[in-house]
Amino acid sequence: MPEFWARLTNTAEQSVFGTRHWQWMMFGDTHYSLVHVAAALITVVFLIFAALRWRQTLSGKTQGVVPPREWRLPAMLNGFVNATYNMSADVMGEEDAKKWLPFIGTLALFIFINNIQGLVPGLLPATDTLKTNLALAVMVFVIYNVVGVYTNGFHYLAHFLGPSFEFRQGGIKFPWLFFLMLPIEIVSHIARPVSLSLRLMGNMLADHKVVGAVLVLVPLLVPVPFMLLGVMVAIIQTVVFTLLSVIYLALALEHAEEH
């Protein structure tokens, strides 16, 4: 088995992971490997299993109303989703929160399960690589911009012009700010997926390195506080990524005011 895994990893590195040879600033040699792919696949399989287990708890007239009595996997999943919904409802309102809960909840669960795998010896969370996080951040970026254009039409594009483009009877207000506000808004929107991906990668990579170093030096008892700290980091980084995604989506759903 180790020989098979070594050959598989070597083939993947040559055909997929090793295709980039250039280096610039933080884009050095990638540490992306099949272990990260395995972590993502484990997360997907676990979420499907958890969803099926939670569905089995729904029955009768209390379907979807009364949470599971025993503190098992369905109850944990129910509490996690409820917390995600409450956070989303505080930002975008209950109506939009219900509509977007499948996307926001799945995103939060995927990130959290990946993050927590960094505390399991032998596993590497897929979220400690830039590739995974950038893919998630770009997905959020594309979705909230497409939703903004679909929901608000041309009024959404007016947000990129700031106060230089306000609809009013007298015409365009502050037209001289057009060339200043447009590049600033474009850069700020592009910076969103970059900041989301780099923040999550940096925190998870640093936490995994610290826990791994302590486990190597003192494998008994001493790593426990660091692992508890790792759990907190996994939760906080999930909340930060999810909350910022909800805020971006809520801003895109807002209707531009006509003056």
Side-chain angles (χ1 to χ4, degrees):
M1 185 66 182
E3 296 180 359
F4 169 76
W5 182 260
R7 290 196 301 269
L8 183 61
T9 302
N10 184 49
T11 302
E13 288 179 352
Q14 293 178 358
S15 60
V16 179
F17 306 131
T19 56
R20 177 175 60 79
H21 302 288
W22 56 269
Q23 298 184 21
W24 180 70
M25 295 181 66
M26 70 279 196
F27 300 104
D29 291 333
T30 178
H31 69 291
Y32 195 69
S33 65
L34 285 181
V35 181
H36 298 98
V37 177
L41 293 177
I42 291 173
T43 300
V44 172
V45 172
F46 177 80
L47 291 180
I48 294 175
F49 172 76
L52 293 176
R53 290 284 296 145
W54 178 80
R55 187 176 181 179
Q56 291 177 356
T57 62
L58 303 180
S59 61
K61 299 180 180 179
T62 61
Q63 182 176 5
V65 178
V66 179
R69 295 181 178 181
E70 298 181 354
W71 185 247
R72 296 182 179 179
L73 182 60
M76 297 179 186
L77 183 63
N78 188 73
F80 189 99
V81 173
N82 283 337
T84 304
Y85 169 76
N86 292 332
M87 181 182 66
S88 302
D90 292 338
V91 176
M92 60 173 54
E94 293 186 0
E95 183 177 353
D96 288 331
K98 291 179 181 179
K99 180 179 179 180
W100 288 98
L101 181 61
F103 170 69
I104 299 299
T106 303
L107 180 66
L109 282 168
F110 181 83
I111 294 174
F112 176 73
I113 300 302
N114 268 290
N115 290 350
I116 213 70
Q117 288 186 61
L119 302 177
V120 180
L123 293 180
L124 293 175
T127 48
D128 77 346
T129 64
L130 184 61
K131 291 181 174 65
T132 303
N133 301 336
L134 190 59
L136 296 174
V138 170
M139 178 182 65
V140 173
F141 175 82
V142 172
I143 288 177
Y144 84 73
N145 278 292
V146 171
V147 169
V149 173
Y150 177 80
T151 304
N152 302 320
F154 183 73
H155 293 291
Y156 175 74
L157 300 179
H159 288 293
F160 287 86
L161 306 180
S164 65
F165 200 93
E166 295 185 4
F167 294 99
R168 55 184 304 185
Q169 295 180 354
I172 299 177
K173 184 180 181 181
F174 306 130
W176 51 274
L177 287 176
F178 173 83
F179 295 102
L180 176 62
M181 296 302 300
L182 181 59
I184 292 177
E185 289 294 327
I186 292 177
V187 171
S188 67
H189 277 261
I190 294 177
R192 290 177 178 180
V194 176
S195 64
L196 283 176
S197 55
L198 290 179
R199 181 188 301 107
L200 181 57
M201 181 197 71
N203 285 279
M204 296 313 304
L205 180 60
D207 176 71
H208 180 260
K209 293 296 183 183
V210 170
V211 174
V214 174
L215 282 172
V216 172
L217 295 175
V218 188
L220 296 177
L221 297 180
V222 176
V224 173
F226 293 92
M227 297 185 72
L228 295 176
L229 181 62
V231 174
M232 292 182 59
V233 172
I235 296 174
I236 292 173
Q237 292 307 311
T238 302
V239 171
V240 170
F241 195 104
T242 306
L243 179 60
L244 289 176
S245 301
V246 171
I247 292 174
Y248 299 153
L249 187 58
L251 291 175
L253 290 170
E254 287 183 354
H255 292 276
E257 296 182 359
E258 297 188 5
H259 298 277

PDB file of all heavy atoms in Angstrom, residues 199-235:
ATOM      1  N   ARG A 199      -6.326  34.611   3.998  1.00  0.00           N
ATOM      2  CA  ARG A 199      -6.569  34.600   5.438  1.00  0.00           C
ATOM      3  C   ARG A 199      -6.807  33.174   5.935  1.00  0.00           C
ATOM      4  O   ARG A 199      -6.234  32.747   6.944  1.00  0.00           O
ATOM      5  CB  ARG A 199      -7.764  35.482   5.789  1.00  0.00           C
ATOM      6  CG  ARG A 199      -8.059  35.542   7.281  1.00  0.00           C
ATOM      7  CD  ARG A 199      -9.358  36.253   7.568  1.00  0.00           C
ATOM      8  NE  ARG A 199      -9.379  37.621   7.071  1.00  0.00           N
ATOM      9  CZ  ARG A 199     -10.064  38.031   6.014  1.00  0.00           C
ATOM     10  NH1 ARG A 199     -10.813  37.179   5.329  1.00  0.00           N
ATOM     11  NH2 ARG A 199     -10.040  39.286   5.634  1.00  0.00           N
ATOM     12  N   LEU A 200      -7.656  32.444   5.227  1.00  0.00           N
ATOM     13  CA  LEU A 200      -7.956  31.079   5.648  1.00  0.00           C
ATOM     14  C   LEU A 200      -6.731  30.188   5.529  1.00  0.00           C
ATOM     15  O   LEU A 200      -6.434  29.401   6.437  1.00  0.00           O
ATOM     16  CB  LEU A 200      -9.107  30.522   4.795  1.00  0.00           C
ATOM     17  CG  LEU A 200      -9.575  29.099   5.111  1.00  0.00           C
ATOM     18  CD1 LEU A 200     -10.006  28.980   6.559  1.00  0.00           C
ATOM     19  CD2 LEU A 200     -10.706  28.689   4.169  1.00  0.00           C
ATOM     20  N   MET A 201      -5.984  30.315   4.422  1.00  0.00           N
ATOM     21  CA  MET A 201      -4.804  29.486   4.239  1.00  0.00           C
ATOM     22  C   MET A 201      -3.749  29.781   5.306  1.00  0.00           C
ATOM     23  O   MET A 201      -3.180  28.868   5.910  1.00  0.00           O
ATOM     24  CB  MET A 201      -4.197  29.727   2.854  1.00  0.00           C
ATOM     25  CG  MET A 201      -2.960  28.872   2.576  1.00  0.00           C
ATOM     26  SD  MET A 201      -1.973  29.472   1.198  1.00  0.00           S
ATOM     27  CE  MET A 201      -1.259  30.963   1.920  1.00  0.00           C
ATOM     28  N   GLY A 202      -3.478  31.066   5.562  1.00  0.00           N
ATOM     29  CA  GLY A 202      -2.446  31.431   6.521  1.00  0.00           C
ATOM     30  C   GLY A 202      -2.729  30.933   7.918  1.00  0.00           C
ATOM     31  O   GLY A 202      -1.853  30.360   8.583  1.00  0.00           O
ATOM     32  N   ASN A 203      -3.949  31.108   8.378  1.00  0.00           N
ATOM     33  CA  ASN A 203      -4.300  30.683   9.731  1.00  0.00           C
ATOM     34  C   ASN A 203      -4.296  29.164   9.880  1.00  0.00           C
ATOM     35  O   ASN A 203      -3.793  28.634  10.879  1.00  0.00           O
ATOM     36  CB  ASN A 203      -5.671  31.239  10.122  1.00  0.00           C
ATOM     37  CG  ASN A 203      -5.628  32.715  10.453  1.00  0.00           C
ATOM     38  OD1 ASN A 203      -5.255  33.111  11.555  1.00  0.00           O
ATOM     39  ND2 ASN A 203      -5.997  33.556   9.502  1.00  0.00           N
ATOM     40  N   MET A 204      -4.853  28.455   8.903  1.00  0.00           N
ATOM     41  CA  MET A 204      -4.910  27.008   9.018  1.00  0.00           C
ATOM     42  C   MET A 204      -3.532  26.383   8.846  1.00  0.00           C
ATOM     43  O   MET A 204      -3.183  25.423   9.543  1.00  0.00           O
ATOM     44  CB  MET A 204      -5.876  26.431   7.968  1.00  0.00           C
ATOM     45  CG  MET A 204      -7.322  26.873   8.174  1.00  0.00           C
ATOM     46  SD  MET A 204      -7.892  26.728   9.881  1.00  0.00           S
ATOM     47  CE  MET A 204      -7.590  25.004  10.232  1.00  0.00           C
ATOM     48  N   LEU A 205      -2.718  26.920   7.954  1.00  0.00           N
ATOM     49  CA  LEU A 205      -1.371  26.385   7.763  1.00  0.00           C
ATOM     50  C   LEU A 205      -0.522  26.608   9.013  1.00  0.00           C
ATOM     51  O   LEU A 205       0.199  25.704   9.460  1.00  0.00           O
ATOM     52  CB  LEU A 205      -0.717  27.043   6.550  1.00  0.00           C
ATOM     53  CG  LEU A 205       0.706  26.579   6.211  1.00  0.00           C
ATOM     54  CD1 LEU A 205       0.720  25.092   5.908  1.00  0.00           C
ATOM     55  CD2 LEU A 205       1.250  27.373   5.025  1.00  0.00           C
ATOM     56  N   ALA A 206      -0.621  27.808   9.597  1.00  0.00           N
ATOM     57  CA  ALA A 206       0.153  28.096  10.799  1.00  0.00           C
ATOM     58  C   ALA A 206      -0.295  27.218  11.969  1.00  0.00           C
ATOM     59  O   ALA A 206       0.543  26.679  12.709  1.00  0.00           O
ATOM     60  CB  ALA A 206       0.008  29.572  11.165  1.00  0.00           C
ATOM     61  N   ASP A 207      -1.607  27.063  12.137  1.00  0.00           N
ATOM     62  CA  ASP A 207      -2.108  26.232  13.231  1.00  0.00           C
ATOM     63  C   ASP A 207      -1.671  24.787  13.063  1.00  0.00           C
ATOM     64  O   ASP A 207      -1.268  24.126  14.036  1.00  0.00           O
ATOM     65  CB  ASP A 207      -3.639  26.319  13.279  1.00  0.00           C
ATOM     66  CG  ASP A 207      -4.231  25.396  14.323  1.00  0.00           C
ATOM     67  OD1 ASP A 207      -4.078  25.681  15.521  1.00  0.00           O
ATOM     68  OD2 ASP A 207      -4.849  24.384  13.931  1.00  0.00           O
ATOM     69  N   HIS A 208      -1.737  24.274  11.835  1.00  0.00           N
ATOM     70  CA  HIS A 208      -1.336  22.884  11.596  1.00  0.00           C
ATOM     71  C   HIS A 208       0.154  22.697  11.857  1.00  0.00           C
ATOM     72  O   HIS A 208       0.572  21.683  12.429  1.00  0.00           O
ATOM     73  CB  HIS A 208      -1.671  22.502  10.150  1.00  0.00           C
ATOM     74  CG  HIS A 208      -1.288  21.091   9.813  1.00  0.00           C
ATOM     75  ND1 HIS A 208      -0.133  20.778   9.126  1.00  0.00           N
ATOM     76  CD2 HIS A 208      -1.889  19.913  10.093  1.00  0.00           C
ATOM     77  CE1 HIS A 208      -0.053  19.474   8.982  1.00  0.00           C
ATOM     78  NE2 HIS A 208      -1.092  18.920   9.550  1.00  0.00           N
ATOM     79  N   LYS A 209       0.979  23.661  11.492  1.00  0.00           N
ATOM     80  CA  LYS A 209       2.418  23.555  11.722  1.00  0.00           C
ATOM     81  C   LYS A 209       2.731  23.562  13.217  1.00  0.00           C
ATOM     82  O   LYS A 209       3.599  22.812  13.687  1.00  0.00           O
ATOM     83  CB  LYS A 209       3.140  24.706  11.023  1.00  0.00           C
ATOM     84  CG  LYS A 209       3.078  24.664   9.508  1.00  0.00           C
ATOM     85  CD  LYS A 209       3.787  23.468   8.947  1.00  0.00           C
ATOM     86  CE  LYS A 209       3.781  23.489   7.420  1.00  0.00           C
ATOM     87  NZ  LYS A 209       4.426  22.269   6.839  1.00  0.00           N
ATOM     88  N   VAL A 210       2.051  24.414  13.973  1.00  0.00           N
ATOM     89  CA  VAL A 210       2.302  24.491  15.418  1.00  0.00           C
ATOM     90  C   VAL A 210       1.922  23.180  16.104  1.00  0.00           C
ATOM     91  O   VAL A 210       2.698  22.624  16.897  1.00  0.00           O
ATOM     92  CB  VAL A 210       1.528  25.675  16.040  1.00  0.00           C
ATOM     93  CG1 VAL A 210       1.584  25.614  17.558  1.00  0.00           C
ATOM     94  CG2 VAL A 210       2.093  26.993  15.536  1.00  0.00           C
ATOM     95  N   VAL A 211       0.723  22.687  15.813  1.00  0.00           N
ATOM     96  CA  VAL A 211       0.277  21.429  16.428  1.00  0.00           C
ATOM     97  C   VAL A 211       1.193  20.281  16.030  1.00  0.00           C
ATOM     98  O   VAL A 211       1.571  19.439  16.864  1.00  0.00           O
ATOM     99  CB  VAL A 211      -1.178  21.131  16.036  1.00  0.00           C
ATOM    100  CG1 VAL A 211      -1.603  19.760  16.558  1.00  0.00           C
ATOM    101  CG2 VAL A 211      -2.111  22.202  16.577  1.00  0.00           C
ATOM    102  N   GLY A 212       1.585  20.235  14.765  1.00  0.00           N
ATOM    103  CA  GLY A 212       2.474  19.174  14.307  1.00  0.00           C
ATOM    104  C   GLY A 212       3.835  19.221  14.984  1.00  0.00           C
ATOM    105  O   GLY A 212       4.392  18.181  15.365  1.00  0.00           O
ATOM    106  N   ALA A 213       4.386  20.426  15.161  1.00  0.00           N
ATOM    107  CA  ALA A 213       5.687  20.556  15.820  1.00  0.00           C
ATOM    108  C   ALA A 213       5.616  20.130  17.277  1.00  0.00           C
ATOM    109  O   ALA A 213       6.524  19.442  17.782  1.00  0.00           O
ATOM    110  CB  ALA A 213       6.175  21.999  15.709  1.00  0.00           C
ATOM    111  N   VAL A 214       4.550  20.508  17.974  1.00  0.00           N
ATOM    112  CA  VAL A 214       4.404  20.129  19.385  1.00  0.00           C
ATOM    113  C   VAL A 214       4.222  18.621  19.520  1.00  0.00           C
ATOM    114  O   VAL A 214       4.768  17.993  20.439  1.00  0.00           O
ATOM    115  CB  VAL A 214       3.224  20.884  20.022  1.00  0.00           C
ATOM    116  CG1 VAL A 214       2.968  20.398  21.438  1.00  0.00           C
ATOM    117  CG2 VAL A 214       3.490  22.383  20.030  1.00  0.00           C
ATOM    118  N   LEU A 215       3.480  18.003  18.607  1.00  0.00           N
ATOM    119  CA  LEU A 215       3.288  16.553  18.649  1.00  0.00           C
ATOM    120  C   LEU A 215       4.607  15.810  18.463  1.00  0.00           C
ATOM    121  O   LEU A 215       4.836  14.757  19.073  1.00  0.00           O
ATOM    122  CB  LEU A 215       2.285  16.128  17.576  1.00  0.00           C
ATOM    123  CG  LEU A 215       0.801  16.367  17.873  1.00  0.00           C
ATOM    124  CD1 LEU A 215      -0.045  16.075  16.647  1.00  0.00           C
ATOM    125  CD2 LEU A 215       0.341  15.506  19.046  1.00  0.00           C
ATOM    126  N   VAL A 216       5.475  16.348  17.623  1.00  0.00           N
ATOM    127  CA  VAL A 216       6.769  15.708  17.396  1.00  0.00           C
ATOM    128  C   VAL A 216       7.668  15.852  18.616  1.00  0.00           C
ATOM    129  O   VAL A 216       8.348  14.907  19.035  1.00  0.00           O
ATOM    130  CB  VAL A 216       7.445  16.297  16.140  1.00  0.00           C
ATOM    131  CG1 VAL A 216       8.871  15.778  16.010  1.00  0.00           C
ATOM    132  CG2 VAL A 216       6.648  15.952  14.901  1.00  0.00           C
ATOM    133  N   LEU A 217       7.673  17.032  19.219  1.00  0.00           N
ATOM    134  CA  LEU A 217       8.550  17.284  20.357  1.00  0.00           C
ATOM    135  C   LEU A 217       8.080  16.580  21.616  1.00  0.00           C
ATOM    136  O   LEU A 217       8.852  15.882  22.298  1.00  0.00           O
ATOM    137  CB  LEU A 217       8.657  18.794  20.608  1.00  0.00           C
ATOM    138  CG  LEU A 217       9.324  19.620  19.508  1.00  0.00           C
ATOM    139  CD1 LEU A 217       9.241  21.108  19.833  1.00  0.00           C
ATOM    140  CD2 LEU A 217      10.777  19.198  19.331  1.00  0.00           C
ATOM    141  N   VAL A 218       6.805  16.772  21.976  1.00  0.00           N
ATOM    142  CA  VAL A 218       6.247  16.169  23.196  1.00  0.00           C
ATOM    143  C   VAL A 218       4.897  15.550  22.842  1.00  0.00           C
ATOM    144  O   VAL A 218       3.868  16.231  22.849  1.00  0.00           O
ATOM    145  CB  VAL A 218       6.073  17.206  24.318  1.00  0.00           C
ATOM    146  CG1 VAL A 218       5.687  16.503  25.623  1.00  0.00           C
ATOM    147  CG2 VAL A 218       7.337  18.017  24.514  1.00  0.00           C
ATOM    148  N   PRO A 219       4.865  14.264  22.514  1.00  0.00           N
ATOM    149  CA  PRO A 219       3.622  13.660  22.024  1.00  0.00           C
ATOM    150  C   PRO A 219       2.555  13.407  23.085  1.00  0.00           C
ATOM    151  O   PRO A 219       1.414  13.076  22.728  1.00  0.00           O
ATOM    152  CB  PRO A 219       4.103  12.338  21.418  1.00  0.00           C
ATOM    153  CG  PRO A 219       5.346  12.019  22.152  1.00  0.00           C
ATOM    154  CD  PRO A 219       5.988  13.321  22.488  1.00  0.00           C
ATOM    155  N   LEU A 220       2.873  13.558  24.375  1.00  0.00           N
ATOM    156  CA  LEU A 220       1.912  13.243  25.430  1.00  0.00           C
ATOM    157  C   LEU A 220       1.511  14.497  26.201  1.00  0.00           C
ATOM    158  O   LEU A 220       2.372  15.288  26.616  1.00  0.00           O
ATOM    159  CB  LEU A 220       2.489  12.205  26.405  1.00  0.00           C
ATOM    160  CG  LEU A 220       2.793  10.825  25.823  1.00  0.00           C
ATOM    161  CD1 LEU A 220       3.432   9.938  26.882  1.00  0.00           C
ATOM    162  CD2 LEU A 220       1.539  10.180  25.256  1.00  0.00           C
ATOM    163  N   LEU A 221       0.211  14.695  26.365  1.00  0.00           N
ATOM    164  CA  LEU A 221      -0.398  15.719  27.221  1.00  0.00           C
ATOM    165  C   LEU A 221      -0.128  17.151  26.761  1.00  0.00           C
ATOM    166  O   LEU A 221      -1.057  17.953  26.654  1.00  0.00           O
ATOM    167  CB  LEU A 221       0.066  15.559  28.674  1.00  0.00           C
ATOM    168  CG  LEU A 221      -0.327  14.243  29.357  1.00  0.00           C
ATOM    169  CD1 LEU A 221       0.193  14.211  30.782  1.00  0.00           C
ATOM    170  CD2 LEU A 221      -1.822  14.028  29.323  1.00  0.00           C
ATOM    171  N   VAL A 222       1.121  17.514  26.504  1.00  0.00           N
ATOM    172  CA  VAL A 222       1.444  18.901  26.142  1.00  0.00           C
ATOM    173  C   VAL A 222       0.688  19.368  24.894  1.00  0.00           C
ATOM    174  O   VAL A 222       0.240  20.524  24.848  1.00  0.00           O
ATOM    175  CB  VAL A 222       2.972  19.057  25.951  1.00  0.00           C
ATOM    176  CG1 VAL A 222       3.313  20.462  25.468  1.00  0.00           C
ATOM    177  CG2 VAL A 222       3.698  18.761  27.261  1.00  0.00           C
ATOM    178  N   PRO A 223       0.502  18.541  23.861  1.00  0.00           N
ATOM    179  CA  PRO A 223      -0.219  19.029  22.666  1.00  0.00           C
ATOM    180  C   PRO A 223      -1.700  19.309  22.893  1.00  0.00           C
ATOM    181  O   PRO A 223      -2.323  19.959  22.043  1.00  0.00           O
ATOM    182  CB  PRO A 223      -0.046  17.882  21.667  1.00  0.00           C
ATOM    183  CG  PRO A 223       1.140  17.122  22.138  1.00  0.00           C
ATOM    184  CD  PRO A 223       1.093  17.219  23.630  1.00  0.00           C
ATOM    185  N   VAL A 224      -2.286  18.839  24.022  1.00  0.00           N
ATOM    186  CA  VAL A 224      -3.728  18.983  24.237  1.00  0.00           C
ATOM    187  C   VAL A 224      -4.177  20.445  24.201  1.00  0.00           C
ATOM    188  O   VAL A 224      -5.144  20.786  23.495  1.00  0.00           O
ATOM    189  CB  VAL A 224      -4.157  18.304  25.549  1.00  0.00           C
ATOM    190  CG1 VAL A 224      -5.623  18.603  25.851  1.00  0.00           C
ATOM    191  CG2 VAL A 224      -3.930  16.807  25.466  1.00  0.00           C
ATOM    192  N   PRO A 225      -3.524  21.364  24.950  1.00  0.00           N
ATOM    193  CA  PRO A 225      -3.961  22.776  24.866  1.00  0.00           C
ATOM    194  C   PRO A 225      -3.849  23.353  23.457  1.00  0.00           C
ATOM    195  O   PRO A 225      -4.697  24.144  23.043  1.00  0.00           O
ATOM    196  CB  PRO A 225      -3.015  23.491  25.838  1.00  0.00           C
ATOM    197  CG  PRO A 225      -2.528  22.434  26.758  1.00  0.00           C
ATOM    198  CD  PRO A 225      -2.455  21.195  25.945  1.00  0.00           C
ATOM    199  N   PHE A 226      -2.806  22.938  22.732  1.00  0.00           N
ATOM    200  CA  PHE A 226      -2.641  23.432  21.371  1.00  0.00           C
ATOM    201  C   PHE A 226      -3.719  22.875  20.441  1.00  0.00           C
ATOM    202  O   PHE A 226      -4.152  23.555  19.504  1.00  0.00           O
ATOM    203  CB  PHE A 226      -1.246  23.065  20.847  1.00  0.00           C
ATOM    204  CG  PHE A 226      -0.128  23.757  21.557  1.00  0.00           C
ATOM    205  CD1 PHE A 226       0.489  23.174  22.649  1.00  0.00           C
ATOM    206  CD2 PHE A 226       0.300  25.006  21.132  1.00  0.00           C
ATOM    207  CE1 PHE A 226       1.524  23.823  23.307  1.00  0.00           C
ATOM    208  CE2 PHE A 226       1.338  25.650  21.783  1.00  0.00           C
ATOM    209  CZ  PHE A 226       1.948  25.067  22.869  1.00  0.00           C
ATOM    210  N   MET A 227      -4.151  21.647  20.696  1.00  0.00           N
ATOM    211  CA  MET A 227      -5.230  21.073  19.890  1.00  0.00           C
ATOM    212  C   MET A 227      -6.556  21.763  20.191  1.00  0.00           C
ATOM    213  O   MET A 227      -7.370  21.990  19.284  1.00  0.00           O
ATOM    214  CB  MET A 227      -5.333  19.570  20.145  1.00  0.00           C
ATOM    215  CG  MET A 227      -4.091  18.796  19.725  1.00  0.00           C
ATOM    216  SD  MET A 227      -4.251  17.009  19.887  1.00  0.00           S
ATOM    217  CE  MET A 227      -5.374  16.657  18.533  1.00  0.00           C
ATOM    218  N   LEU A 228      -6.787  22.112  21.463  1.00  0.00           N
ATOM    219  CA  LEU A 228      -7.984  22.876  21.806  1.00  0.00           C
ATOM    220  C   LEU A 228      -7.953  24.251  21.142  1.00  0.00           C
ATOM    221  O   LEU A 228      -8.972  24.751  20.652  1.00  0.00           O
ATOM    222  CB  LEU A 228      -8.098  23.021  23.323  1.00  0.00           C
ATOM    223  CG  LEU A 228      -8.328  21.724  24.108  1.00  0.00           C
ATOM    224  CD1 LEU A 228      -8.328  22.007  25.603  1.00  0.00           C
ATOM    225  CD2 LEU A 228      -9.644  21.077  23.677  1.00  0.00           C
ATOM    226  N   LEU A 229      -6.766  24.865  21.136  1.00  0.00           N
ATOM    227  CA  LEU A 229      -6.616  26.131  20.426  1.00  0.00           C
ATOM    228  C   LEU A 229      -6.856  25.946  18.933  1.00  0.00           C
ATOM    229  O   LEU A 229      -7.440  26.819  18.273  1.00  0.00           O
ATOM    230  CB  LEU A 229      -5.217  26.694  20.674  1.00  0.00           C
ATOM    231  CG  LEU A 229      -4.890  28.036  20.009  1.00  0.00           C
ATOM    232  CD1 LEU A 229      -5.826  29.133  20.523  1.00  0.00           C
ATOM    233  CD2 LEU A 229      -3.437  28.416  20.258  1.00  0.00           C
ATOM    234  N   GLY A 230      -6.432  24.788  18.403  1.00  0.00           N
ATOM    235  CA  GLY A 230      -6.677  24.499  16.993  1.00  0.00           C
ATOM    236  C   GLY A 230      -8.155  24.387  16.674  1.00  0.00           C
ATOM    237  O   GLY A 230      -8.604  24.798  15.596  1.00  0.00           O
ATOM    238  N   VAL A 231      -8.931  23.817  17.603  1.00  0.00           N
ATOM    239  CA  VAL A 231     -10.380  23.744  17.412  1.00  0.00           C
ATOM    240  C   VAL A 231     -10.978  25.141  17.346  1.00  0.00           C
ATOM    241  O   VAL A 231     -11.845  25.440  16.500  1.00  0.00           O
ATOM    242  CB  VAL A 231     -11.034  22.920  18.535  1.00  0.00           C
ATOM    243  CG1 VAL A 231     -12.548  22.960  18.420  1.00  0.00           C
ATOM    244  CG2 VAL A 231     -10.549  21.486  18.493  1.00  0.00           C
ATOM    245  N   MET A 232     -10.531  26.026  18.232  1.00  0.00           N
ATOM    246  CA  MET A 232     -11.008  27.409  18.220  1.00  0.00           C
ATOM    247  C   MET A 232     -10.652  28.100  16.911  1.00  0.00           C
ATOM    248  O   MET A 232     -11.471  28.827  16.325  1.00  0.00           O
ATOM    249  CB  MET A 232     -10.419  28.166  19.409  1.00  0.00           C
ATOM    250  CG  MET A 232     -10.920  27.720  20.768  1.00  0.00           C
ATOM    251  SD  MET A 232     -10.215  28.710  22.110  1.00  0.00           S
ATOM    252  CE  MET A 232     -10.794  30.355  21.633  1.00  0.00           C
ATOM    253  N   VAL A 233      -9.426  27.876  16.425  1.00  0.00           N
ATOM    254  CA  VAL A 233      -9.010  28.473  15.159  1.00  0.00           C
ATOM    255  C   VAL A 233      -9.873  27.960  14.011  1.00  0.00           C
ATOM    256  O   VAL A 233     -10.297  28.729  13.133  1.00  0.00           O
ATOM    257  CB  VAL A 233      -7.521  28.181  14.889  1.00  0.00           C
ATOM    258  CG1 VAL A 233      -7.121  28.623  13.482  1.00  0.00           C
ATOM    259  CG2 VAL A 233      -6.641  28.880  15.925  1.00  0.00           C
ATOM    260  N   ALA A 234     -10.160  26.654  14.012  1.00  0.00           N
ATOM    261  CA  ALA A 234     -11.003  26.071  12.963  1.00  0.00           C
ATOM    262  C   ALA A 234     -12.395  26.689  12.969  1.00  0.00           C
ATOM    263  O   ALA A 234     -12.959  27.003  11.903  1.00  0.00           O
ATOM    264  CB  ALA A 234     -11.089  24.559  13.140  1.00  0.00           C
ATOM    265  N   ILE A 235     -12.959  26.893  14.165  1.00  0.00           N
ATOM    266  CA  ILE A 235     -14.297  27.488  14.268  1.00  0.00           C
ATOM    267  C   ILE A 235     -14.275  28.955  13.843  1.00  0.00           C
ATOM    268  O   ILE A 235     -15.121  29.404  13.063  1.00  0.00           O
ATOM    269  CB  ILE A 235     -14.829  27.356  15.706  1.00  0.00           C
ATOM    270  CG1 ILE A 235     -15.018  25.879  16.063  1.00  0.00           C
ATOM    271  CG2 ILE A 235     -16.135  28.122  15.875  1.00  0.00           C
ATOM    272  CD1 ILE A 235     -15.401  25.653  17.509  1.00  0.00           C
TER     273      ILE A 235
END
